[in-house]
Each structure stands twice: as C-alpha cells, then as structure tokens.
Amino acid sequence: MQRSSEKPRQPGGPVQWLSVNAIGLFTALAIPLATFLVLYWGFFFLRDSDAPKIVIAIVAIVWGVGGVAALYLVANSLVDRLGDTWRARIQPFIFVGPAVAILLWYLAVPSLRTLWISLLDRNGVDFVGLSNYIAVFTTRNMFTAFRNNILWILFGATASVIFGLLVAILADRSRFENIAKSVIFMPMAISMVGAGVIWNMMYEVNPNVGLLNAIYTGVTGNNPVAWKAAAEIAPWNNLFLIVVMVWLQSGFAMVLFSAAIKGIPGEILEAGRVDGATEIQVFFRIMIPYIMGTIITVSTTIIIFSLKIFDVVQVMTGGQFGTQVIATQYYREYFTNQNAGFGSAIAIVLLITVIPVMIYNLRQLNDQEAF
Amino acid sequence: MATASSAKKIKKTSKLGPILINGSLLLLILIWLLPTFALLVSSFRTRFDIQTSGWWSIVPHRAWMTDRVIDPDPNWDRDGVMNIEGAQGTFEEFRNGITLDNGTRVFWIGNKRIGKVEIQAYKWTSNFNFTLENYGQVLGGKTFEVRQPDGTIKTEQADNFVGAFLNSLTVTIPSTLIPILIAAFAAYGFAWMRFSGRRVLFVMVVALLVVPLQIALVPILQDYVRLNLNGTFLGIWLAHTGFGLPLATYLLFNYIRGLPRDILESAFIDGASHFTIFVRLILPLSVPALASFAIFQFLWTWNDYLVALIFIGAKPDVQVLTMRLAEMVGSRGNDWHLLTAGAFVSMVLPLVVFFSLQRFFVRGLLAGSVKG
Amino acid sequence: MNRKFAPLFVLLLVASLLLAACPAATPTAEPAAEPAAEEAAPTAEVAEEAEAAPTAAAAEEDAHPGEEAAMAKGLTELAAAYHGDYEGTIVTMTGPFTDEDAVKFDNSMAAFEEATGIDIQYEGSKEFEASITVRVQAGDAPDIVDFPQPGLLGTFAKQGKVVPATVMIPEAWLAENYLQSWLDMATMEGPDGPAQYGVWQRFNAKSLVWYPKASFDAAGYPIPTTWEELQALQDMIVSDGDTPWCVGIESGAATGWAATDWTEEFMLRTTSLENYDAWVLGELPFESPEVKNAIESFATIWNDDSMVSGGRAAIVTTFFGDAPTGMFQDPPTCWLHKQGNFITSFFPEGTEYGVDYGVFYLPGIDAEYGSPFLVAGDIMAAMTDRPEVRAVMQFFSTGEGVKGWLAAGGALGPQKDVQLDWYGSDLERDIAGLVNNATSVRFDGSDLMPGEVGAGSFWKGMTDYFSGAADLDTVLAEIDASWPR
C-alpha cells in the first residue's frame, strides 16, 4: 500500500506554491511523513507482533482501513495544493493508483509469469515453444473440459441470473422480502465442504440415503442412478453439478439485483403506475432498462465465475466421470501431475476466453462520459 | 407485450398479483431450503443413521417394522420350499419377504447359514433419533485417546473452536474492509474521471477477474518470503485484497457509473472537488453496493481455505475455521458426519453479517435527488 | 475541510496505534518463528553457539541413554541432540495427516522433544499437494516433509530441492536398519544422478483381507490360507445366498484408487517381481498381457454380480469407507473386504479386533511368485540441512522414531530395530507378523508412478472400466497414452 501511495506524491510545479507560505510547506511535508511513519511502524508491528489476537485484529482494522483512508486523504491534500493542471493530471491516479498497483502485484505480474512458464517444459526449465498449447487443444480431456465449461455457462450462468432476478423482483413486492432473500442467500454462507456433503447425500446412489434416488426409484421403479457419475447420461451428469452452483450462486445475483432495484427512485415507478402502466409493463419498460447496467454486470461476473468454476467440481467429483473443467484440469496438471508448463498453458487459455467479455465491457466504458 | 389482449390479461391477473407473487416465492424458498434443511437435520444425526437412512425418515411414515425374530430351524430345507409362520416359499422368496394375508410379512435376514427370520408389520414409524454429539465435537473439539509406549492411555482434548473462530475474524474483517475502500476510489476514478490510460487500466481490471488465484500463489509467496511477510496476518489481508479487488472494482464501478449524472454535475458547479464529491456524495449513495460487496468478500474470505493455508499456514495457533472443519473430517475422512454440524457452525457469522447489512438495501437513498 | 481534518485523523491514528500496541509491546521479544528457518547459518556456527550456553545445564543431568545408543549407531547429530546441543532450536515439518494422526505424531515426538529440547512444529493440511508445491517453489519449504507418495518427492528431488538422506544419515546405518527394498524405493533421480532421498518412517500393509470374525465363527467359515481355499470360501458364501466381497472404490476426486491396489496385488501374484518393477517404471506397458491378465483375474470377481455386494454397479458408487459396513450388519451382507490396515478407522465404533473382526493375508495365487506383500508408507525428506534437522532425520531412521506411533496404533514401522512388543495392539502386531512372513515386499505401484498415471489415468481408467463406460483394452491404451515420456 505504501508503494502505491508514493506514486501520487511526485512534486509538480511547486515553485510558485513554495513561496506562498512556509507553514503550508511544513504541513505538506510533515503530514505525509507522519502518516508514512505510522503506517511503516504499523507494518512492522503487524508483521512481527505476537500480541493477543484481538489486539492485533483491532490494530489491523485501524491500521488497514484507517491507514488506507489516511493515505488517500494525505495524498489528496497534497494534490490540492498543486495547480489545476497538475491536479487534474495526478488526481485520477490517487483514485485508481492503489488498486492498479495491488492488481499488478497480485494478479497481473503472476499472469505474465504464468504466460512465460506456459512456454516451458514440465519442470519449467527448457523452452518448448507452443507445444503445451498444442497439447491443450488436442487432448481429449481438455475437449471435455471445454465442453463442460460451455455447459456451465449455458445452464449454470443463465439459471443463476434468472433465479436471482426473479427472487429479487418477487421479493421486492412481497411482505416476506427479508425471509425470502435470506433463504436464497443462505447457501452462499455454507462452506463448500458443507455444500459438498449435502449434495453428495442428495445424489447418493443408495435410495435409502439419496433423496433423488429415493424419489426416482419410488416413482419409476427403476434401478437407482449414480447421478454424478453415470456414463449413460453423460454429458448431462454435469447438470447435477451445475444445480449445485445455481443453488449456491443465485444468492449472489439476487443481492446485487436487489440493491439495484432498491436504487430505482420510487418516483419513477409511481409515475409509471400513475400513467396507467400495468405491473408487468412497469417491470419491462421501467425496471429492466433502469437496472440494465446491473444485469450486464451480474451476467459478466457469473459468466466469469462459470469459466473458472473449480470448487464445486473439485468437491463433488474431483473432475472425474467426464466432469472436469478448465480450472480443475489446471489444478490437476500443475499440482497433482507437477507439469508446470502444461498447467500454465491451461491457465493462459482460461485467460484468453475472457477476451470477448473484456471487449464488451470496454465498449461500455467508451459510452461513459467522464468529467 | 403491449397488445391490447395481453394488457387485458395482465389487468385481470394483477388482482391475483400478491398471491401469485407470494406463491411463486414460496415455491422457490422451499426448493432452496430443501438442501439446507437436509443439512440441518443431518447435523443432529449420528454417523450410523446418516449412513443407513435418509434424513427424511425423521418424518413419520409407514414402514415394515420388526415384530419379533425367530431363529431358523436347522432342519428347514433351505434349498427347497420352506414353511415359516404360515408363509411358504423358497429361500430367495423369503429374502425378498413374503407378505401374508393378515398384513404381516415374513422376512429372512442373512444367509442360509446364520440367518434369522423376522416377522414384520407395516406400521407408522419415524427415525427420530437426534443427538447433540456432532455439535459437541465441533464446538468443544474432539477427544483423542492415544496409547503411550508404556501402555497407559492418554486422553487429549483438541482445542475448541474459539481460537479458530478468532483467527477467522482476524483474517476476514480487514480482508473485507481494505479492498472495499481501495476499490471504491478506483471505481469512482474509472467512472467519473478522465485520464490517460483509463481504458487500458480498466481492461486490465476486467481481464484479471478471470485469473484463477492459484497461479498467483507461488510468485506472491516468493515475494512474501523476501519481505518476511509469510505467515503473517498482514500478508493474508493483502493477498485477499489483491484477489478480491478486480471484482470489487468492477461491481462498484458499474454501480457508481450508474449514479445520476446530474447529481455530480450540480456538485461540480457548486465547486466541489472530486475528493469531496467522492466522500460526501458517492460513498453515501453507494451504500447498497458497498454493503453487497462487503457481504460477498466477507463470505469468500470466511470460507477460504487455500489462501489461508498458503499464506498463514495451518498451525493450531493461526489456523482458520475452515481448516479446523476440514480437519474435523478426520485423518482418513472417516468423520464426515461432523461436517454437517461444522457447516452450520461456520454459517452463523456470515448470516449475521448478511442480516445486519441487509438493512442497507432499502429504497429511497436516491429519493429527492432526482428530478421527475 | 480536508486540511483541518487530515492532521486530526493522523493524530487519532497514531494515538490508537500506540494505545493498541502498548500492552503488546512488552512481551514481544523477537518474532520466534522466523530466525530458525531464515538464518540457515553454517553448521559450525550454530553448533558452537548452541553449545556455549546449554552444555552446562545438560551436563548437570545424567547423559540421556539415547546419546550413547545414537553414538553406537554412528548418528553423530542425534547423539549431539540428546546431549542437549540443539536445545531451543526449531524444526518445522509438514505433511498430509491431520486430526487424530497429527495427535499421534505429536505424541510420538514428545519424548524426543523433551530429551533434546528441539521443538518440532508439525503442520498438516488437507490440501497437502498444492500447499507443498507452492511452498517448495516459492522457497518457503519447511525443514522436513512427510510424503505419503514417493512420486511427488521424486519431482522435488529432480529439481534439486531435497537434501539426500545419505548426506544426513550415515549410509552404513541405513543399510543396517532397513531392508534393501526399502532403500531401493527411496532411491530417486536427483540433479546429480540417482540418490537416496528421505527415510521411511512408517508404513501401512495392504495385502489384507478383513472379515467379520464373530459371524464367521458362527457360520463356521474357515480362514483361507491358499488361493484355492479362498475360492472355495467364496463359493461357500455364494451358495449360502450371500455375496462374499464388499467392494467400493468411490473416493470423490480420488475415485478408483482402491482398484489400483487390487491391480497391484494381482500383478504381484500373477507375474514376476521384475515385471512388477518394470511396470511401475513404465517399461512394461499397461497393454501388455501381464497387466491385462492381472486385471482380468480380479475382474472375474468384480464383474460377477453374485460375488460383490450390491453387484458390479455398486462398486464405482460405493464410498471406499462405507464398503466394509456390510460386514458389520447382523447378520453380514458381505463377508470379505480387502483393504489396507487404515480401514479400521472406518469400522463402526465399538468394534474390536479379534472379537468383531479379524484379518488374514490375501494368499498368493501361483507358488512361483511366492507370497508377496503390498505396502504403502510415509517417507520423510529433508528440505534444509542444519544439524538439528539431521538429528531429527536420524531419529526417524531409528525404530525409536516411530515407537510412539506404533503404541498408539494405526501404523507399522519399517525399521529393523522395531520390536514387535512395541505395537500397542494385537492387530498391528499380527499384521507385522504377516509382513514378516512375506517372501517379498513391494510398494504401492500407483504411488510410485508419475502423477498423470498414478493419481490420474490409472484411477480414472479403472473407474471407467468397472462402471462400464469403456472396455478394458480402451482403458489400458488410454493409460499408456497418458504416461509422460
């Protein structure tokens, strides 16, 4: 965090300002210095301390959150003393700089590193060119993984968005709003291990234990089916894993949609109703356009979730029975098989799949006017 | 949509509106609740019960119940036709059960050698055998009996979950608040400020959404080793901040961008700086979005296992709740009935967070600020 | 507003930080965990430093008996450790075992820690593979790692991340205290050619068949000692109307591993040890008649609905830990279960060895191949080389290093100086006896194969074959194709 804050503190056009007043100069230097020292000291305290956890936690919250806020404040007060031109130039970087710096460190640079490793052999030593990529696009396992990811997007992402929107809208008009939203949200709070236990029990082959097979054998009289594993229903056994994701993730969509719906000014809705629009017309003509931005955001996010879906598959089947997806293949190649080059190539392919989503969102940005 | 006939239909059904709305909502709630309910019921059942009968068997239902058991007569012709308690059939038929006219069933259990014969009746029953033992072990820690080389047995009580709970909190709260603040600034910058590189940087944020965090583990840990940050809470907050930032920035960007332009315009006319607008206008108006992201980030860091394992480790004094739960299942994965109770214990706090932040999702934050 | 507010805020921040830190500042002497791992000081320096202080204290006490014994075995560092030379040092360890096993481990180290003053900090996790890979690559490896699969260790050895065991422990002692086959199994390709990486600390026996003893006795079934007797027993159980075998290979992400164990058992029983070793190394392909024959010889049991509880369809979908439950129903629904000795932790609570269940050796099929025994085990490998790490590694190479665990149960010791009476339960003592009777011992092949095969296509192939998704020839060809060359 300190690292990022240094960027905006470049001195710029300070000559005329320097002569204005010495006290200003003093505060301008002392405050950032003090802030920096406090944060620096906090860094070492937090790194090295073995004080009671509660103390650390409290210091952490003050240091982390307060420190970040203080950095922004100080940086901004510095920039405020600059001339208008410089302020306009530097200020945006005070806003986006820290985020960009952290993203570079934590995700962008590791991605570049992965790109490099993807051109190396399994031990990450010798350069092998594109042969890992060729392998990615020619192995049967990877084909299955790609196909499954498409299934996840087609069914999983769509269903999550639809259910999320449906609940958000229905709940908005219901007296039982809080109950409904809490229930749909609840699965998100269950840890993945817990979700795995319960859904494995749902799909259990033994009809005495597995609810689905208890119903299925009871109704049809057929033999129980191994829903996650059965080769005869492949590739639709993936749907049973997708259901788990929909169950878990619809709450995510719902919360965001709900927040967006709450953001629709009541006056607009009232005006529509006064003009004689039916509820359904209000929904399609006023609400949907109003929350379109949110719909796009949520869809983008959930599509990306489906692209990098990992936990559900890992917990439910470990990617066996033809349920592997790109992320589980990456994990398997990189960690289980210790094939650094191949694993990295899979990760890069995953990154490439996001390009269409990026282009779309870039267009959104272009439509946006800034000050 | 707008044709006359469909409009009429809608008019008609709109009287049914509340019923329709609440009805479909109820249906969805029931579907969603089913697995959670199953988990809840299972968390009170013993390992044996979970393994051998469905959780729904707690509901009263009719089933074949054993009336009495008789030992098979060694003289019965097990390879031919036998006559037991008025029922007649071969061994295979008895194994499937022979139902008599009076409603009882004669059932052979076991094989020909050491089997027994049960006389069963079709009766109402329910498997209402609940235990608090699972929760006791999750909350209080398991007890291990370890035999020592000198033959004595030493009982060891594993730590209760309080320590792990505190660790989780220590990890989670800063890991939730720090990225939100940073992301809110960045989101405002991307949405309402003009600067060179805006597009490139924004694309980077969106692209990084898809990066699986596993690829970052090795390089980040390398840096941490150099900075002596490995195994510290600071390290894991920063890591969670880094991994959560793309989504936080993206979600908040889309919300802040959607705020009515005229509010900002009038503020600018009044001479407010970006910073003032951000602090005074944007942050208060973005509370629903901030609250929703706070919920998610809280959940993800709360339920995270891998990041915590890599950056702070699994030693008992630093391990987080998810690790304790994963260990609960035992060295061989043989105690998975404890997971059901563990899942509920670990769910409590996220739900509290959800309920307390839910009140921010209210209409009217923008009320009065928009004309017409 | 900013200008007024900013200093105030900073002031508040400073104050709150200072306040919060005050109670903490006093007890904080020095971050305890780091220095031991970080400094990696040259051997002599540490030894000197350590000696200066604690010798006086150590000398007052009587010399620990372990010191002399270690000296006699040529284990210099271990002797020095017992002498108290490394008091106050920390050795970090990691491994895949958690929960009860971690408690057993801590317990078995307690006496050593007390005698030497070395603090062994063990940290186990369920995501062992990922975490150890990340840590080793990032340079954050612990001092000693417990590998349940030598294959993973082999990868790190090749990358030069592991200190060869022969550097840390005198070779003569290793040769004296281990069967040659154990040493062979620890020999791996390093950056400078093959070397011994790690020492075997404990192992599990696999060639075991479990049976419900009480019901067995009641039914009057005999315990088979030969393959023919086993077949006769199978037929007897079938004719009595039951299915003899309880089989389940479902294991989530690892579904199929139990089938690889069966393959290895039958490889050992239907072909020569040379062929087994060649197969493990990838020199004998899966498509060869030997491997195919081995799989087919147990598939005749598995594919026969009258032989397996629940029929063939249940094999793939029954959790391996649930598979034996049929044996403990009254009366049992299945009677025989082949699995390693760890399976007892899945048996219903309160069941007792010798009363409720018993165990016998899965007999050899062909006299020519004798009675082989399949094992798996945990190998300890050192990632750093410091005297106290050497001392701990040397400790693991002695029977004393596993004694506490043997008493607690659930593991066997491969070291020759392990005494049978150290075993805390009759079960492990009996199993150790069975292993001693074996004509040959071989390690679990799938654990030795590369991850792609041993923890991937082999599992998946077996699962596909027994679930009916593919025929045997297809499956074997696919496994061969997945072997990294």
Side-chain angles (χ1 to χ4, degrees):
Chain A
M1 244 163 285
Q2 288 97 339
R3 152 201 289 229
S4 55
S5 67
E6 273 150 19
K7 195 185 289 176
R9 229 181 288 125
Q10 310 158 3
V15 186
Q16 77 279 34
W17 164 81
L18 195 135
S19 56
V20 174
N21 69 48
I23 300 164
L25 177 69
F26 176 75
T27 33
L29 290 176
I31 293 170
L33 198 70
T35 318
F36 181 77
L37 281 177
V38 169
L39 290 175
Y40 186 74
W41 176 80
F43 173 87
F44 284 102
F45 172 77
L46 291 169
R47 192 184 72 180
D48 301 332
S49 165
D50 50 6
K53 252 167 234 151
I54 295 185
V55 174
I56 295 191
I58 293 170
V59 175
I61 295 164
V62 176
W63 180 82
V65 182
V68 172
L71 278 179
Y72 278 111
L73 265 173
V74 168
N76 186 67
S77 71
L78 278 182
V79 171
D80 268 352
R81 285 152 210 265
L82 304 175
D84 278 349
T85 11
W86 278 98
R87 186 169 69 194
R89 261 181 231 172
I90 293 175
Q91 203 170 30
F93 290 100
I94 293 177
F95 278 73
V96 300
V100 168
I102 290 178
L103 284 175
L104 279 176
W105 181 19
Y106 279 90
L107 292 171
V109 174
S111 302
L112 291 176
R113 176 181 174 275
T114 305
L115 178 64
W116 169 241
I117 297 176
S118 74
L119 303 172
L120 306 178
D121 69 347
R122 59 180 299 126
N123 292 320
V125 181
D126 296 320
F127 187 82
V128 292
L130 290 177
S131 67
N132 285 322
Y133 289 92
I134 296 169
V136 169
F137 289 109
T138 50
T139 31
R140 197 176 55 92
N141 259 335
M142 287 308 300
F143 277 133
T144 317
F146 289 134
R147 181 203 66 197
N148 291 345
N149 267 109
I150 292 172
L151 289 180
W152 278 90
I153 291 174
L154 280 183
F155 294 98
T158 317
S160 304
V161 172
I162 289 175
F163 278 121
L165 187 58
L166 198 63
V167 175
I169 284 165
L170 289 178
D172 190 44
R173 283 127 185 275
S174 170
R175 282 187 296 127
F176 310 108
E177 172 172 9
N178 279 350
I179 299 172
K181 276 158 64 176
S182 309
V183 167
I184 306 295
F185 174 83
M186 212 184 293
M188 286 204 76
I190 297 180
S191 57
M192 200 51 234
V193 224
V197 169
I198 195 57
W199 282 96
N200 279 324
M201 241 186 252
M202 285 274 176
Y203 296 150
E204 168 72 46
V205 181
N206 178 354
N208 291 329
V209 184
L211 181 63
L212 204 55
N213 270 316
I215 296 171
Y216 178 76
T217 52
V219 171
T220 65
N222 292 350
N223 283 332
V225 177
W227 302 107
K228 294 183 303 175
E232 59 268 23
I233 54 169
W236 305 115
N237 56 343
N238 280 291
L239 286 186
F240 291 95
L241 304 194
I242 292 174
V243 165
V244 181
M245 182 249 199
V246 173
W247 181 70
L248 285 168
Q249 294 289 4
S250 293
F252 172 82
M254 179 205 69
V255 168
L256 291 177
F257 284 136
S258 191
I261 289 173
K262 297 295 175 200
I264 304 176
E267 298 93 320
I268 296 185
L269 296 177
E270 275 317 302
R273 289 186 184 119
V274 169
D275 290 349
T278 64
E279 282 305 302
I280 290 193
Q281 282 170 327
V282 168
F283 173 66
F284 279 104
R285 301 240 180 105
I286 302 175
M287 291 175 103
I288 292 280
Y290 201 93
I291 61 168
M292 203 55 202
T294 308
I295 295 179
I296 290 164
T297 315
V298 171
S299 308
T300 304
T301 322
I302 291 195
I303 286 173
I304 288 176
F305 282 166
S306 319
L307 267 176
K308 60 182 208 182
I309 188 82
F310 173 76
D311 288 355
V312 176
V313 181
Q314 190 72 8
V315 167
M316 296 293 289
T317 62
Q320 291 228 52
F321 320 117
T323 60
Q324 68 265 48
V325 288
I326 302 177
T328 58
Q329 283 301 110
Y330 161 76
Y331 191 88
R332 167 167 284 278
E333 290 299 340
Y334 197 93
F335 294 114
T336 310
N337 298 350
Q338 299 278 319
N339 191 341
F342 191 42
S344 300
I346 296 174
I348 295 298
V349 170
L350 182 61
L351 276 175
I352 292 170
T353 53
V354 84
I355 285 178
V357 182
M358 267 161 54
I359 293 173
Y360 182 81
N361 278 278
L362 192 60
R363 284 226 302 271
Q364 291 285 114
L365 184 74
N366 285 345
D367 296 343
Q368 173 76 11
E369 279 179 72
F371 291 103
Chain B
M1 252 318 124
T3 61
S5 66
S6 70
K8 222 179 222 171
K9 230 184 246 166
I10 290 154
K11 273 267 151 60
K12 255 183 207 163
T13 51
S14 68
K15 274 174 200 158
L16 291 168
I19 300 169
L20 208 68
I21 285 170
N22 287 325
S24 29
L25 210 51
L26 186 70
L27 186 72
L28 282 171
I29 288 178
L30 288 181
I31 294 172
W32 246 256
L33 217 46
L34 187 77
T36 319
F37 181 70
L39 191 65
L40 180 67
V41 172
S42 301
S43 70
F44 289 105
R45 305 183 76 211
T46 65
R47 172 174 153 192
F48 179 79
D49 280 348
I50 293 177
Q51 262 173 331
T52 51
S53 62
W55 55 269
W56 59 91
S57 66
I58 61 153
V59 180
H61 58 281
R62 273 158 73 91
W64 288 106
M65 301 289 290
T66 307
D67 235 11
R68 58 204 165 86
V69 182
I70 49 175
D71 276 330
D73 188 328
N75 296 325
W76 289 344
D77 180 12
R78 287 163 170 77
D79 297 319
V81 176
M82 292 178 282
N83 197 326
I84 310 169
E85 297 282 312
Q88 202 165 21
T90 61
F91 171 76
E92 279 72 28
E93 284 167 340
F94 276 109
R95 273 261 269 221
N96 293 326
I98 295 178
T99 313
L100 296 174
D101 294 337
N102 61 10
T104 58
R105 187 167 77 160
V106 184
F107 203 82
W108 186 297
I109 296 186
N111 66 12
K112 294 174 187 171
R113 230 173 249 260
I114 58 160
K116 53 188 177 183
V117 174
E118 285 186 355
I119 313 298
Q120 302 173 327
Y122 202 55
K123 284 195 291 203
W124 284 96
T125 175
S126 99
N127 196 342
F128 220 77
N129 179 21
F130 282 168
T131 170
L132 286 172
E133 176 64 11
N134 297 348
Y135 283 94
Q137 291 204 33
V138 168
L139 296 176
K142 286 186 185 175
T143 323
F144 303 102
E145 289 188 346
V146 188
R147 207 183 298 106
Q148 302 292 306
D150 57 11
T152 57
I153 294 204
K154 187 171 149 196
T155 310
E156 281 214 6
Q157 173 78 33
D159 299 338
N160 62 24
F161 87 117
V162 175
F165 192 84
L166 276 180
N167 285 332
S168 272
L169 269 184
T170 316
V171 167
T172 312
I173 295 178
S175 302
T176 306
L177 295 177
I178 297 173
I180 290 184
L181 192 61
I182 295 177
F185 270 98
Y188 176 81
F190 283 124
W192 296 108
M193 292 171 113
R194 202 183 285 286
F195 55 97
S196 54
R198 171 169 169 251
R199 214 166 299 167
V200 177
L201 293 177
F202 183 72
V203 167
M204 183 184 90
V205 173
V206 178
L208 292 179
L209 273 175
V210 83
V211 175
L213 63 87
Q214 287 96 333
I215 70 164
L217 298 178
V218 174
I220 297 301
L221 189 60
Q222 262 169 357
D223 293 343
Y224 277 14
V225 170
R226 261 177 244 134
L227 295 171
N228 246 334
L229 268 179
N230 50 334
T232 66
F233 282 110
L234 178 62
I236 192 167
W237 299 326
L238 290 176
H240 276 308
T241 302
F243 300 144
L245 259 187
L247 187 63
T249 312
Y250 181 67
L251 289 183
L252 294 179
F253 164 80
N254 280 284
Y255 188 88
I256 290 173
R257 187 189 56 146
L259 293 173
R261 192 182 166 79
D262 32 7
I263 305 183
L264 278 86
E265 252 166 17
S266 49
F268 269 118
I269 292 165
D270 293 347
S273 70
H274 273 297
F275 200 82
T276 318
I277 291 178
F278 177 76
V279 174
R280 288 282 180 84
L281 263 180
I282 301 294
L283 281 187
L285 285 179
S286 308
V287 163
L290 297 176
S292 38
F293 184 76
I295 292 175
F296 301 136
Q297 180 74 4
F298 185 89
L299 280 179
W300 287 321
T301 48
W302 185 260
N303 284 332
D304 155 76
Y305 180 87
L306 190 62
V307 177
L309 175 64
I310 299 292
F311 294 120
I312 59 170
K315 290 199 192 83
D317 56 324
V318 291
Q319 73 173 190
V320 294
L321 202 57
T322 43
M323 286 180 203
R324 273 203 65 73
L325 290 184
E327 286 189 7
M328 274 282 150
V329 76
S331 316
R332 315 286 184 189
N334 45 333
D335 286 337
W336 51 273
H337 58 290
L338 297 181
L339 280 181
T340 52
F344 267 91
V345 170
S346 74
M347 224 172 110
V348 173
L349 194 67
L351 284 183
V352 169
V353 170
F354 176 72
F355 286 128
S356 52
L357 290 184
Q358 202 182 25
R359 65 198 177 86
F360 290 114
F361 305 146
V362 285
R363 171 158 298 123
L365 278 171
L366 286 173
S369 58
V370 186
K371 299 144 215 156
Chain C
M1 155 261 175
N2 294 336
R3 287 185 202 190
K4 276 178 214 156
F5 184 55
L8 193 75
F9 188 90
V10 173
L11 217 72
L12 273 173
L13 192 70
V14 176
S16 66
L17 277 170
L18 285 174
L19 272 175
C22 277
T26 15
T28 312
E30 248 296 283
E34 261 91 347
E38 291 308 315
E39 276 164 22
T43 321
E45 213 178 283
V46 171
E48 255 171 35
E49 253 175 273
E51 229 160 337
T55 18
E60 284 167 27
E61 301 165 25
D62 292 330
H64 191 276
E67 186 183 339
E68 210 171 309
M71 247 350 196
K73 293 165 186 165
L75 305 174
T76 334
E77 280 84 3
L78 184 58
Y82 277 123
H83 189 254
D85 288 359
Y86 311 131
E87 201 165 339
T89 55
I90 294 168
V91 173
T92 56
M93 282 193 64
T94 187
F97 55 87
T98 56
D99 199 55
E100 193 178 359
D101 280 356
V103 173
K104 285 179 185 171
F105 176 77
D106 285 344
N107 246 284
S108 68
M109 300 316 270
F112 176 78
E113 287 182 272
E114 201 182 319
T116 62
I118 299 177
D119 182 11
I120 298 175
Q121 297 184 343
Y122 173 77
E123 178 180 337
S125 82
K126 290 276 166 192
E127 296 272 353
F128 170 71
E129 267 172 14
S131 82
I132 193 62
T133 306
V134 170
R135 293 233 164 134
V136 168
Q137 288 184 3
D140 188 31
D143 297 321
I144 300 175
V145 182
D146 177 306
F147 287 95
Q149 285 158 345
L152 189 57
L153 171 59
T155 312
F156 296 137
K158 203 183 282 172
Q159 294 165 358
K161 310 269 192 194
V162 189
V163 186
T166 41
V167 171
M168 316 195 89
I169 307 163
E171 239 168 304
W173 166 248
L174 286 175
E176 186 189 324
N177 205 33
Y178 283 93
L179 282 175
Q180 186 58 36
S181 58
W182 284 108
L183 299 181
D184 290 345
M185 289 187 280
T187 305
M188 299 166 199
E189 199 63 40
D192 317 311
Q196 252 183 67
Y197 288 94
V199 290
W200 295 98
Q201 194 229 0
R202 59 187 196 282
F203 75 101
N204 291 299
K206 294 218 166 198
S207 307
L208 301 169
V209 180
W210 305 86
Y211 62 93
K213 189 165 189 307
S215 308
F216 237 64
D217 293 347
Y221 290 140
I223 307 299
T225 52
T226 65
W227 185 247
E228 289 70 30
E229 284 176 20
L230 180 62
Q231 281 181 314
L233 175 63
Q234 285 180 167
D235 295 342
M236 211 186 296
I237 296 172
V238 171
S239 72
D240 285 342
D242 269 338
T243 47
W245 290 95
C246 326
V247 187
I249 64 169
E250 202 274 336
S251 180
T255 300
W257 66 262
T260 67
D261 281 4
W262 278 74
T263 311
E264 289 144 13
E265 300 280 9
F266 281 77
M267 275 299 285
L268 289 171
R269 282 165 180 73
T270 58
T271 186
S272 65
L273 291 174
E274 289 72 36
N275 278 339
Y276 181 86
D277 295 339
W279 171 62
V280 169
L281 289 172
E283 286 155 14
L284 183 76
F286 277 78
E287 281 181 286
S288 65
E290 287 85 359
V291 181
K292 201 178 167 197
N293 174 45
I295 295 175
E296 276 170 345
S297 48
F298 75 89
T300 51
I301 299 175
W302 285 28
N303 287 338
D304 186 342
D305 280 353
S306 69
M307 284 288 190
V308 180
S309 174
R312 168 185 168 155
I315 292 176
V316 187
T317 54
T318 304
F319 175 57
F320 75 92
D322 288 344
T325 47
M327 293 200 305
F328 296 99
Q329 277 166 27
D330 180 33
T333 55
C334 54
W335 296 78
L336 303 166
H337 182 63
K338 193 209 90 63
Q339 190 55 277
N341 52 324
F342 71 85
I343 194 67
T344 50
S345 51
F346 288 91
F347 287 172
E349 263 166 62
T351 51
E352 226 178 293
Y353 173 67
V355 181
D356 303 290
Y357 61 89
V359 67
F360 62 83
Y361 167 70
L362 178 71
I365 294 174
D366 194 329
E368 191 190 334
Y369 307 122
S371 29
F373 215 101
L374 189 70
V375 298
D378 285 61
I379 186 166
M380 298 287 186
M383 299 292 178
T384 55
D385 188 7
R386 297 196 310 277
E388 63 269 23
V389 178
R390 286 191 182 195
V392 177
M393 284 293 284
Q394 289 171 359
F395 181 60
F396 286 140
S397 75
T398 64
E400 288 286 334
V402 71
K403 190 175 177 183
W405 201 317
L406 301 184
L412 305 167
Q415 300 87 347
K416 277 190 194 164
D417 58 351
V418 164
Q419 309 294 316
L420 273 185
D421 61 4
W422 289 358
Y423 288 102
S425 75
D426 293 339
L427 173 65
E428 269 96 19
R429 201 172 302 120
D430 291 353
I431 294 174
L434 291 178
V435 179
N436 288 345
N437 287 338
T439 55
S440 58
V441 173
R442 278 297 178 272
F443 201 84
D444 185 321
S446 62
D447 284 353
L448 296 168
M449 293 173 187
E452 279 92 336
V453 183
S457 57
F458 194 2
W459 291 350
K460 187 175 182 302
M462 289 293 105
T463 310
D464 283 353
Y465 172 52
F466 288 107
S467 70
D471 62 43
L472 189 53
D473 288 321
T474 317
V475 160
L476 295 178
E478 277 184 6
I479 300 175
D480 276 332
S482 72
W483 197 291
R485 311 255 170 207

